[in-house]
Amino acid sequence: MRVINKGYIAKSKIHGYGVFAKQQIKEGELVEQAIVPEQVISPEYEFLDGKAFIKNVETMSNYRFAAPGLDQNRYWVIPAGNAIMYNHSFNPNMVWQYKRTERIIEFIATRNIEPNEELLFDYGPQYKYHRRTKISNEVPR
């Protein structure tokens, strides 16, 4: 299998660094296949004085992707490639899907993308909630 990657990393106007299209990408086209290592990050629990505490909640939290686990549990994976450098958008030009048996996250264009355009995906409801809460808390009262 040949791994596909149609992006390059550069400074972003959105946040720090981002990933940009090397070439024109058509809607529905595969943008990147990011390899996922075997190791995963899963929540663990510790019990102290009759209370449960969860561990690993913040481990690599800015770079991990939620993946469906067995028995309705969740775990996180950290892909290689450009995947951890994509920025968030409420109006993304890509979506991603995790292919567990192949250990790959695929990014697929949701519309035509021009060369040098930043590649973006929606980080999901957890990010939206925290981002909106942060923004509303930063507004002067």
Side-chain angles (χ1 to χ4, degrees), residues 8-51:
Y8 66 92
I9 296 172
K11 283 290 234 177
S12 170
K13 291 179 182 174
I14 295 173
H15 176 76
Y17 287 87
V19 183
F20 298 81
K22 292 178 191 174
Q23 62 199 54
Q24 185 174 35
I25 302 168
K26 296 193 184 295
E27 180 179 348
E29 196 173 320
L30 192 58
V31 177
E32 180 179 2
Q33 291 175 305
I35 304 295
V36 176
E38 287 281 337
Q39 188 174 10
V40 299
I41 301 169
S42 59
E44 296 176 11
Y45 299 90
E46 289 182 320
F47 296 91
L48 180 64
D49 296 330
K51 295 180 182 176

Coordinates of all heavy atoms in Angstrom, one line a residue, residues 8-51:
Y8 N 1.2 20.0 2.8 CA 2.5 20.4 3.3 C 2.2 21.3 4.5 O 1.2 22.0 4.6 CB 3.3 21.1 2.3 CG 2.8 22.4 1.8 CD1 3.2 23.6 2.4 CD2 1.9 22.5 0.7 CE1 2.7 24.8 2.0 CE2 1.4 23.7 0.3 CZ 1.8 24.9 0.9 OH 1.3 26.1 0.5
I9 N 3.1 21.3 5.4 CA 3.0 22.1 6.7 C 3.7 23.5 6.5 O 4.8 23.6 5.9 CB 3.6 21.4 7.9 CG1 2.9 20.1 8.1 CG2 3.6 22.3 9.1 CD1 3.5 19.2 9.1
A10 N 2.9 24.6 6.9 CA 3.4 25.9 6.8 C 2.7 26.8 7.9 O 1.8 26.3 8.5 CB 3.2 26.5 5.5
K11 N 3.2 28.0 8.1 CA 2.6 28.9 9.1 C 1.1 29.1 8.6 O 0.8 29.3 7.5 CB 3.3 30.3 9.1 CG 4.6 30.2 9.8 CD 4.4 30.1 11.3 CE 5.1 31.2 12.1 NZ 4.8 31.1 13.5
S12 N 0.2 29.2 9.7 CA -1.2 29.4 9.4 C -1.7 30.7 10.0 O -1.2 31.2 11.0 CB -2.0 28.3 10.1 OG -3.3 28.5 10.1
K13 N -2.6 31.3 9.3 CA -3.2 32.6 9.8 C -4.2 32.2 10.9 O -4.7 33.1 11.6 CB -3.9 33.3 8.6 CG -2.9 33.9 7.7 CD -3.6 34.6 6.5 CE -2.6 35.2 5.6 NZ -3.2 35.8 4.4
I14 N -4.7 31.0 10.9 CA -5.7 30.5 11.9 C -5.0 30.3 13.3 O -5.5 30.8 14.3 CB -6.4 29.2 11.4 CG1 -7.2 29.6 10.2 CG2 -7.3 28.7 12.5 CD1 -7.8 28.4 9.5
H15 N -3.9 29.5 13.3 CA -3.3 29.2 14.5 C -1.9 28.5 14.3 O -1.9 27.4 13.7 CB -4.2 28.2 15.4 CG -3.6 27.8 16.6 ND1 -3.5 28.6 17.7 CD2 -3.0 26.6 17.0 CE1 -2.9 27.9 18.7 NE2 -2.6 26.7 18.3
G16 N -0.9 29.1 14.7 CA 0.5 28.5 14.6 C 0.8 28.0 13.2 O 0.9 28.7 12.3
Y17 N 0.9 26.7 13.1 CA 1.1 26.0 11.8 C -0.1 25.3 11.4 O -1.0 24.9 12.2 CB 2.3 25.0 12.0 CG 3.6 25.7 12.1 CD1 4.1 26.1 13.3 CD2 4.4 26.0 10.9 CE1 5.4 26.7 13.4 CE2 5.6 26.6 11.0 CZ 6.1 27.0 12.3 OH 7.3 27.7 12.4
G18 N -0.2 25.0 10.1 CA -1.3 24.2 9.6 C -0.9 23.4 8.4 O 0.3 23.4 8.0
V19 N -1.8 22.8 7.7 CA -1.5 22.0 6.6 C -2.2 22.6 5.4 O -3.4 23.0 5.5 CB -1.9 20.5 6.8 CG1 -1.5 19.6 5.6 CG2 -1.3 19.9 8.0
F20 N -1.5 22.7 4.2 CA -2.0 23.3 3.0 C -1.9 22.3 1.9 O -1.1 21.5 1.8 CB -1.2 24.6 2.7 CG -1.3 25.6 3.8 CD1 -0.5 25.5 5.0 CD2 -2.2 26.6 3.7 CE1 -0.6 26.4 6.0 CE2 -2.3 27.6 4.8 CZ -1.5 27.4 5.9
A21 N -2.9 22.5 0.9 CA -2.9 21.6 -0.3 C -1.7 21.9 -1.2 O -1.4 23.0 -1.5 CB -4.2 21.9 -1.0
K22 N -1.1 20.8 -1.6 CA 0.1 20.8 -2.5 C -0.5 21.1 -3.9 O 0.3 21.5 -4.8 CB 0.8 19.5 -2.5 CG 1.6 19.2 -1.3 CD 2.3 17.8 -1.5 CE 2.8 17.3 -0.2 NZ 3.4 15.9 -0.4
Q23 N -1.7 20.6 -4.2 CA -2.3 20.6 -5.5 C -3.8 20.8 -5.4 O -4.3 20.9 -4.3 CB -2.0 19.3 -6.2 CG -2.6 18.1 -5.4 CD -2.0 16.8 -5.7 OE1 -0.8 16.6 -5.6 NE2 -2.9 15.8 -6.1
Q24 N -4.4 20.9 -6.5 CA -5.9 21.0 -6.5 C -6.4 19.6 -6.1 O -5.9 18.6 -6.5 CB -6.5 21.3 -7.9 CG -8.0 21.5 -7.8 CD -8.6 22.0 -9.1 OE1 -8.1 21.7 -10.2 NE2 -9.6 22.9 -9.0
I25 N -7.4 19.6 -5.2 CA -8.0 18.4 -4.7 C -9.5 18.5 -4.9 O -10.2 19.5 -4.6 CB -7.8 18.3 -3.2 CG1 -6.3 18.2 -2.9 CG2 -8.4 17.0 -2.6 CD1 -5.9 18.4 -1.4
K26 N -10.1 17.5 -5.5 CA -11.5 17.5 -5.9 C -12.4 17.0 -4.7 O -11.9 16.1 -3.9 CB -11.8 16.7 -7.1 CG -11.1 17.3 -8.4 CD -11.6 16.6 -9.6 CE -10.9 17.1 -10.9 NZ -11.1 18.5 -11.2
E27 N -13.6 17.4 -4.7 CA -14.6 16.9 -3.7 C -14.6 15.4 -3.7 O -14.7 14.8 -4.8 CB -16.0 17.5 -4.0 CG -17.0 17.0 -3.0 CD -18.4 17.6 -3.3 OE1 -18.5 18.6 -4.1 OE2 -19.3 17.2 -2.7
G28 N -14.6 14.8 -2.5 CA -14.6 13.3 -2.4 C -13.3 12.6 -2.6 O -13.2 11.4 -2.3
E29 N -12.2 13.4 -2.9 CA -10.9 12.8 -3.1 C -10.2 12.6 -1.8 O -10.4 13.4 -0.8 CB -10.1 13.8 -4.0 CG -8.9 13.2 -4.6 CD -8.2 14.2 -5.6 OE1 -8.9 14.9 -6.3 OE2 -7.0 14.3 -5.6
L30 N -9.4 11.6 -1.7 CA -8.6 11.3 -0.6 C -7.5 12.3 -0.5 O -6.7 12.5 -1.4 CB -8.0 9.9 -0.7 CG -7.4 9.2 0.5 CD1 -8.3 9.2 1.7 CD2 -6.9 7.8 0.2
V31 N -7.4 13.0 0.7 CA -6.4 14.0 0.9 C -5.1 13.4 1.6 O -4.0 13.7 1.2 CB -6.9 15.2 1.8 CG1 -5.9 16.2 2.1 CG2 -8.1 15.8 1.1
E32 N -5.4 12.6 2.6 CA -4.2 12.0 3.3 C -4.7 10.7 4.0 O -5.8 10.5 4.4 CB -3.7 12.9 4.4 CG -2.5 12.3 5.2 CD -2.0 13.2 6.3 OE1 -2.5 14.3 6.5 OE2 -1.0 12.7 6.9
Q33 N -3.7 9.8 4.0 CA -3.9 8.6 4.8 C -2.8 8.6 5.9 O -1.6 8.7 5.6 CB -3.6 7.3 4.0 CG -4.7 7.1 2.9 CD -4.4 5.9 2.1 OE1 -3.3 5.9 1.5 NE2 -5.3 4.9 2.0
A34 N -3.2 8.7 7.1 CA -2.3 8.8 8.2 C -2.2 7.5 9.0 O -3.2 7.0 9.4 CB -2.7 9.9 9.2
I35 N -1.0 7.0 9.1 CA -0.8 5.7 9.8 C -1.0 5.9 11.3 O -0.6 6.9 11.8 CB 0.6 5.2 9.5 CG1 0.9 5.1 8.0 CG2 0.9 3.9 10.3 CD1 0.1 4.1 7.3
V36 N -1.7 4.9 11.9 CA -1.9 5.0 13.3 C -1.1 3.9 14.0 O -1.3 2.7 13.7 CB -3.4 4.7 13.6 CG1 -3.7 4.7 15.1 CG2 -4.3 5.9 13.0
P37 N -0.2 4.2 14.9 CA 0.6 3.2 15.6 C -0.3 2.2 16.4 O -1.4 2.6 16.7 CB 1.5 4.0 16.5 CG 1.5 5.4 16.0 CD 0.2 5.6 15.3
E38 N 0.2 1.1 16.7 CA -0.5 0.1 17.5 C -0.9 0.6 18.8 O -2.0 0.2 19.4 CB 0.3 -1.2 17.7 CG 0.5 -2.0 16.4 CD -0.8 -2.9 16.1 OE1 -1.6 -3.2 17.0 OE2 -0.9 -3.2 14.9
Q39 N -0.1 1.4 19.5 CA -0.3 1.8 20.8 C -1.5 2.8 20.8 O -1.6 3.7 20.0 CB 0.9 2.4 21.4 CG 0.8 2.8 22.9 CD 2.1 3.3 23.4 OE1 3.1 3.5 22.7 NE2 2.2 3.4 24.7
V40 N -2.4 2.7 21.8 CA -3.5 3.6 22.0 C -3.4 4.2 23.4 O -2.8 3.7 24.3 CB -4.8 2.9 21.7 CG1 -4.9 2.4 20.3 CG2 -5.1 1.9 22.8
I41 N -4.1 5.3 23.6 CA -4.3 5.9 24.9 C -5.7 5.6 25.3 O -6.7 6.0 24.6 CB -4.1 7.5 24.8 CG1 -2.7 7.8 24.3 CG2 -4.3 8.1 26.2 CD1 -2.5 9.2 23.9
S42 N -5.9 5.0 26.4 CA -7.2 4.7 26.9 C -7.4 5.2 28.3 O -6.4 5.4 29.1 CB -7.5 3.2 26.9 OG -6.5 2.5 27.7
P43 N -8.6 5.6 28.7 CA -8.9 6.1 30.0 C -8.7 5.0 31.0 O -9.0 3.8 30.8 CB -10.3 6.5 30.0 CG -10.9 5.9 28.8 CD -9.8 5.5 27.9
E44 N -8.0 5.3 32.1 CA -7.8 4.4 33.2 C -8.4 5.0 34.5 O -8.5 6.2 34.6 CB -6.3 4.1 33.4 CG -5.7 3.5 32.2 CD -4.2 3.3 32.4 OE1 -3.7 3.5 33.5 OE2 -3.5 3.0 31.4
Y45 N -8.8 4.2 35.4 CA -9.4 4.7 36.7 C -8.6 4.3 37.9 O -8.0 3.2 37.9 CB -10.8 4.1 36.8 CG -11.7 4.6 35.7 CD1 -11.8 3.9 34.5 CD2 -12.4 5.8 35.7 CE1 -12.6 4.3 33.4 CE2 -13.2 6.3 34.7 CZ -13.3 5.5 33.5 OH -14.0 5.9 32.5
E46 N -8.4 5.2 38.8 CA -7.8 4.9 40.1 C -8.9 5.1 41.2 O -9.7 6.0 41.0 CB -6.7 5.9 40.4 CG -5.5 5.7 39.5 CD -4.4 6.7 39.9 OE1 -4.7 7.8 40.2 OE2 -3.2 6.2 39.9
F47 N -8.8 4.3 42.2 CA -9.8 4.5 43.3 C -9.0 4.9 44.5 O -8.0 4.2 44.9 CB -10.6 3.2 43.5 CG -11.4 2.9 42.3 CD1 -10.9 2.1 41.3 CD2 -12.7 3.4 42.2 CE1 -11.7 1.8 40.1 CE2 -13.5 3.1 41.1 CZ -13.0 2.3 40.0
L48 N -9.4 6.0 45.2 CA -8.8 6.4 46.4 C -9.8 7.0 47.3 O -10.6 7.8 46.9 CB -7.8 7.5 46.0 CG -7.0 8.2 47.1 CD1 -6.0 7.1 47.8 CD2 -6.1 9.3 46.6
D49 N -9.8 6.5 48.5 CA -10.8 6.9 49.6 C -12.2 6.8 49.0 O -13.1 7.7 49.3 CB -10.5 8.3 50.0 CG -9.2 8.4 50.7 OD1 -8.7 7.4 51.3 OD2 -8.5 9.5 50.7
G50 N -12.5 5.8 48.3 CA -13.9 5.5 47.9 C -14.3 6.4 46.7 O -15.5 6.3 46.3
K51 N -13.4 7.1 46.1 CA -13.7 7.9 44.9 C -12.9 7.4 43.7 O -11.8 7.0 43.8 CB -13.3 9.4 45.2 CG -14.1 10.1 46.3 CD -13.7 11.5 46.4 CE -14.5 12.1 47.6 NZ -14.1 13.5 47.8

